[in-house]
C-alpha cells in the first residue's frame, strides 16, 4: 500500500492538483487528508469536492471549523479572519454539513492522524519541534503519528528516549521505531520553500518521504486577488511563508 498524506490545502486548487498528479504518478493507492481544506485560498468549494472524491479519510482542521462557525475567530490574525469570513460565504449547506461531520482524529492500525497536536486536538496546539513531537508521541499508542497545522514539514524518529530529526529525502523505516511526521502544507507552505508539500508512506517498501512539487502559483495568486481576499495571502505563496 502506498499512502499519501496531505494537509493544509487552504483552498489552493492548483497546488492540490499538482499534489494529486504527483501522487498518482508515484502509484499512490490511498489518501488521508489532515484538514484545513479551506481558508486563505480562493477555491474552497472546488478543493472540498476534490478531497471528497479522493478519500473518506479526512480530519477536521481549525480553518474548516472556522468556516462553519465552530471555532473562535479571536485566535486568527486579521488576514485569516477576513479569509474565514469570505470562505464561510462561499460554502453551501451540503459543504457545511460535510465539514461538520469530520472527526478530530483518525486511528488506523498503527497510525494516528490529526490536524493539530494529539493530546487536545480541539485546542489546535502546534507540533513545531522535537520536544513537541515527543509530547505528541507520548500521548498516543500508535507507532506513527501524522500531523499538519504548522505548514512547516519535518519527520522525526524516537531514539534512546529522545526525538531525532531525519534528513530530507525518502527514509527507510526502522523496525519497531516510532515516528512523528509533520507533513507540511499543500496550499500555503511556510518553510521558505514555495512548492506544495505532502507525505508519501510506502508501507510495502517501508519508506517515508516528504515530497515537494511545483505548481502554478501565478494562477493561484491571481484568483486570490480577483476574489477580493487580502493581497498578502497571494504574495506569501511565492515566498513560501
Ligand atoms: Zn493550515
Amino acid at each position: 500500500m502506498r499512502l499519501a498524506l496531505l494537509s493544509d490545502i487552504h483552498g489552493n486548487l492548483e497546488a492540490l492538483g499538482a499534489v494529486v498528479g504527483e501522487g498518482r504518478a508515484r502509484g499512490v493507492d490511498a489518501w488521508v487528508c489532515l484538514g484545513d481544506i479551506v481558508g486563505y485560498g480562493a477555491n474552497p468549494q472546488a478543493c472540498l469536492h476534490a478531497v471528497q472524491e479522493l478519500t473518506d479519510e479526512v480530519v477536521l482542521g481549525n480553518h474548516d471549523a472556522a468556516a462553519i462557525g465552530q471555532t473562535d475567530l479571536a485566535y486568527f490574525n486579521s488576514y485569516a479572519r477576513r479569509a474565514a469570513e469570505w470562505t464561510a460565504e462561499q460554502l453551501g449547506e451540503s459543504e457545511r454539513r460535510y465539514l461538520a461531520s469530520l472527526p478530530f482524529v483518525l486511528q488506523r492500525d498503527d497510525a494516528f492522524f490529526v490536524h493539530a497536536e494529539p493530546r487536545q486536538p480541539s485546542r489546535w496546539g502546534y507540533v513545531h519541534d522535537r520536544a513537541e513531537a515527543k509530547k505528541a508521541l507520548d500521548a498516543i499508542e500508535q507507532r506513527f503519528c501524522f500531523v499538519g497545522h504548522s505548514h512547516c514539514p519535518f519527520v522525526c524518529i524516537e531514539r534512546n528516549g529522545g526525538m531525532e530529526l531525519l534528513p530530507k529525502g525518502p527514509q527507510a523505516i526502522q523496525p519497531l521505531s516510532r515516528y512523528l511526521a509533520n507533513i507540511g502544507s499543500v496550499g500555503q507552505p511556510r518553510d521558505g520553500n514555495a512548492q506544495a508539500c505532502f507525505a508519501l508512506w510506502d508501507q510495502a517498501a517501508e519508506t517515508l518521504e516528504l515530497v515537494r512539487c511545483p505548481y502554478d502559483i501565478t494562477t493561484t495568486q491571481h484568483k486570490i486577488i480577483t476574489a477580493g481576499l487580502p493581497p498578502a495571502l497571494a504574495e506569501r505563496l511565492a515566498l513560501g511563508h
Side-chain angles (χ1 to χ4, degrees), residues 64-92:
D64 306 320
I68 53 171
Q70 282 191 0
T71 207
D72 189 352
L73 292 185
Y75 295 103
F76 280 41
N77 65 41
S78 61
Y79 297 140
R81 199 175 314 132
R82 169 77 192 103
E85 287 160 0
W86 182 89
T87 300
E89 290 164 14
Q90 310 302 311
L91 300 181

Side-chain angles (χ1 to χ4, degrees), residues 10-226:
H10 286 295
N12 184 337
L13 190 61
E14 290 70 36
L16 178 58
V19 161
V20 171
E22 179 71 18
R24 292 204 167 124
R26 287 171 173 247
V28 163
D29 306 296
W31 301 76
V32 179
C33 177
L34 301 191
D36 276 6
I37 302 168
V38 304
Y40 295 129
N43 286 127
Q45 280 189 312
C47 289
L48 268 180
H49 298 158
V51 168
Q52 281 177 297
E53 269 183 33
L54 205 57
T55 179
D56 293 331
E57 307 280 294
V58 183
V59 298
L60 184 75
N62 56 317
H63 285 258
D64 306 320
I68 53 171
Q70 282 191 0
T71 207
D72 189 352
L73 292 185
Y75 295 103
F76 280 41
N77 65 41
S78 61
Y79 297 140
R81 199 175 314 132
R82 169 77 192 103
E85 287 160 0
W86 182 89
T87 300
E89 290 164 14
Q90 310 302 311
L91 300 181
E93 190 49 41
S94 68
E95 285 127 2
R96 276 196 289 274
R97 259 203 312 274
Y98 169 73
L99 290 178
S101 75
L102 297 177
F104 282 106
V105 305
L106 285 173
Q107 301 178 55
R108 297 284 180 268
D109 303 320
D110 53 357
F112 190 100
F113 306 102
V114 59
H115 181 69
E117 67 81 30
R119 287 170 303 165
Q120 293 179 293
S122 63
R123 306 280 299 265
W124 310 117
Y126 291 95
V127 182
H128 283 302
D129 54 26
R130 286 177 299 156
E132 289 169 354
K134 174 89 173 95
K135 281 185 198 157
L137 267 190
D138 285 349
I140 64 166
E141 289 174 358
Q142 284 77 5
R143 202 180 146 208
F144 297 90
C145 184
F146 294 95
V147 306
H149 195 32
S150 76
H151 301 204
C152 293
F154 67 89
V155 179
C156 54
I157 179 172
E158 190 173 44
R159 243 200 280 265
N160 304 324
M163 301 297 294
E164 222 171 86
L165 274 183
L166 293 175
K168 287 181 181 159
Q171 296 297 318
I173 292 169
Q174 306 299 314
L176 304 178
S177 294
R178 299 180 78 206
Y179 289 84
L180 180 134
N182 183 325
I183 64 167
S185 170
V186 171
Q188 197 196 76
R190 293 179 193 159
D191 62 334
N193 180 346
Q195 295 191 344
C197 186
F198 70 106
L200 195 57
W201 181 14
D202 188 328
Q203 294 174 325
E206 298 194 3
T207 59
L208 190 56
E209 180 182 3
L210 291 170
V211 181
R212 303 306 286 249
C213 51
Y215 72 95
D216 181 0
I217 293 177
T218 309
T219 295
T220 307
Q221 291 176 314
H222 182 71
K223 287 181 178 177
I224 288 172
I225 302 288
T226 307

